[in-house]
Amino acid sequence: MLKTIGLAVIAGPGAGDRQGCQRISGKRRRKFMAVLSVPGALVMAAGLPVLAQDTGISAQRIREHTRFLASDLLEGRGVGVRGGEIAAEYIAAQLALAGAKPAGDHGTYYQKVPLVGIETEPGATLGAAVSLKGLDLRWGDDFVGVSETQRPDTRFEGEAVFVGHGITAPEFHWDDYKGLDVTGKVLIMFTNEPPSTDPKFFDGRALTYYGRWVYKYEEALRRGAKACILIHTTETASYGWEVVRNSWGREAPFVKLEAGAKALEFAGWITREAGEKFLGLAGRNVDDLLKASERADFRPIELGIQVQGHIPAKVRQLETRNVAAMIPGSDPKLKDEYIIYSAHWDHLGIGTPVGGDAIYNGAIDNATGCAVLLELARAWGALPRKPKRSVLFLSVTAEEGGLKGSEYYAAHPLVPVAKTAVDLNFDALYPWGRAANVVITGAERTNLYPMAQQIAKRLDLAIVEDAKPEAGHYFRSDHFSMARVGIPAFTIGHATEFVGKPAGFGEQADREYVSKHYHQPSDEFQSDWDFTALGQAAEYGWLLGMDIANQDRLPEWRPGDAFHR
C-alpha cells in the first residue's frame, strides 16, 4: 500500500506541460502543494500505463517524464527549494509505482544530503593594484566566485602568483609550482592542462582530472593559498563565459565544513578580458602566459600585484536529498550485489532572466536522464523473474554544484561499495531522432567493454569516441564520484550522429545546444523533439545492466587503471 511508505505520489507524465497544466499559481498552486503535503496522496495522469506489466522500453514514456520534469511548475529543479523537492517527490513516486522498494534512510526513498548553500551577494568586489595603477572588477561581468569559508562576510588580501595550470602530476613529470611556497598567496591560473596527443602524457587529447577546475581549487588549498582565481577562455574551459556566470552567479552547495577545517577565502573566475587587464598591470598578457604554461620548464611568476576582495554572501543550511530505490535480485547469494543506474535530478532553479525568462528548466540537462532512469525502473519492475543481482535506482542532487549528491553517496553508500558491480549513469541525452551511435567514454577502462561492444552491435549502434575529449566530460558527471571509490562507472551518453540526418548534423546540433541553451533558460522541452534516441539509450543500458546482473563475477577496472580497486 502506498500509504505505508509515507510518500506523496504526484502527477504522472503529461500533467505538468505548459499546454496541459500551464503554470500553477495562486489558489491552484496552493491546492497542488497541499496535495503534496499529504503522505500517500496519489494523483495520476489518465492513460499512463505506469503499472502495466510491459517490459518494452517506451520512448513515449521517457518523453512524458521529461516534459513534466522540465515544466515551469518545477521552477528549474533548484536544490533546497520547492521545485527541487517536487522533482524528488515525483521521482520517488514513480519508482514506487514501478515496484521498487525504498533504499534510503530509515526505510524511506530518500538519502538526506547535508549541505550549506552559499550565494555571493551582487555587491562583491575584487580589485588589484600595483604601484600607482589599479583595477576594479565588476561582479558578473568581470568575475564570479564564492568564499568557501562558509561565512556571511569575507575580506581577503594577498600577493598574486601566476602558476600556469596549477598542476602537480608526478606520473607525467609535471609540476607548475616548482617548489615555490604559496602559503597566503592569491593564485592566478588557467583551467585545463598542457595540450597533448600522446596517450602517455596527460592521456593525450582526453582531459584528465588535473585539468578540471575542481582540482585547481583542491590543490591550491592543499598548498595553503588564500585564494585561487581562474582566467576563463572558451578554449581552455570548453564553454563560454555565460555558462560560468550562470553556474557561479547563484547559490552554490557545499559540504558543511568541520570545525577548524581550512578553506579558500575566494575561489573564482575572471573573464579573458578582465584577465588581460589584470595581467597588464604586471606587463603580461593572456596569450603569452598561456603559451608559457604549456611548457614543462614553466616556473611560477610572482606578479607583484596586490589583490583584495570583499565577498559578502547569503549562507543557509540546505535541505536536499538523493532519491534511492531498489529491486531485489533473484539469486540467494548474488542478490547482495548491486547494479546502479543513476541520473541527477537537479538543475539551476530560478536565476538571472534571459529574454524575460528566469526559469532554468534543464530539459535536456537532466530531465532526460531522469526520464530514462524511471523507464528503466518500470521495465525492471515488470519482469516476472528478476535477474540474479539487485538493482539500485539512484537520482542524485546537487550535480550542478560540483557532483555533491553523488560525492555524498560515494562517501555514505546505501549498499557496500565492494558489492557494487557498476554505475551506469545517464546525463543530458539529445532527443533529435534515431541514434546511429552511442558514446560510453570510460567503459573501455573496464573489463565490461567487450560486452558493451556486443550489445551495441546487437542494437545496430556504433560505439564512437567522445568527440570532444578535451572537454573532460568523464569528470563532469556523477559516475566520476563512483569511480573515485573504485566502482566501475561510466555514462551512457548522447548520440553524435542520427539516422536520416546529413553528415555533421549531430556535431552542429551539439555545438548549437552548448552555445545557446546549455545552462540557459532556453533549455526547455520542445513539442517537436523526437525521443527515439532516448529509447535506444535506455534499451542499451537495460541490456547492459541485465547482462552484468547475471554474470558470474563482478566487473573490474582494467589492471593499472587509476581507479582499479
Side-chain angles (χ1 to χ4, degrees), residues 246-300:
N246 290 338
S247 300
W248 286 74
R250 61 179 67 237
E251 183 180 72
F254 289 86
V255 177
K256 187 175 182 179
L257 288 175
E258 296 181 3
K262 295 181 179 179
L264 291 175
E265 296 186 25
F266 182 68
W269 299 69
I270 60 176
T271 66
R272 180 188 180 111
E273 294 73 20
E276 290 285 13
K277 295 175 183 178
F278 182 96
L279 296 174
L281 294 175
R284 309 275 184 168
N285 64 70
V286 168
D287 285 339
D288 286 349
L289 289 190
L290 183 56
K291 185 176 180 179
S293 70
E294 295 172 355
R295 295 173 54 93
D297 60 357
F298 167 82
R299 302 191 67 84

Side-chain angles (χ1 to χ4, degrees), residues 149-161:
T149 61
Q150 301 182 6
R151 298 194 302 260
D153 194 81
T154 301
R155 296 177 184 271
F156 71 93
E157 185 172 353
E159 182 184 346
V161 179

Side-chain angles (χ1 to χ4, degrees), residues 53 89 98 120 147 149 167 170 248 261 297 302 511 546:
Q53 296 298 303
E89 288 279 354
T120 302
S147 171
T149 61
I167 294 172
W248 286 74
D297 60 357
E302 298 183 69
R511 186 163 52 246
M546 290 286 288

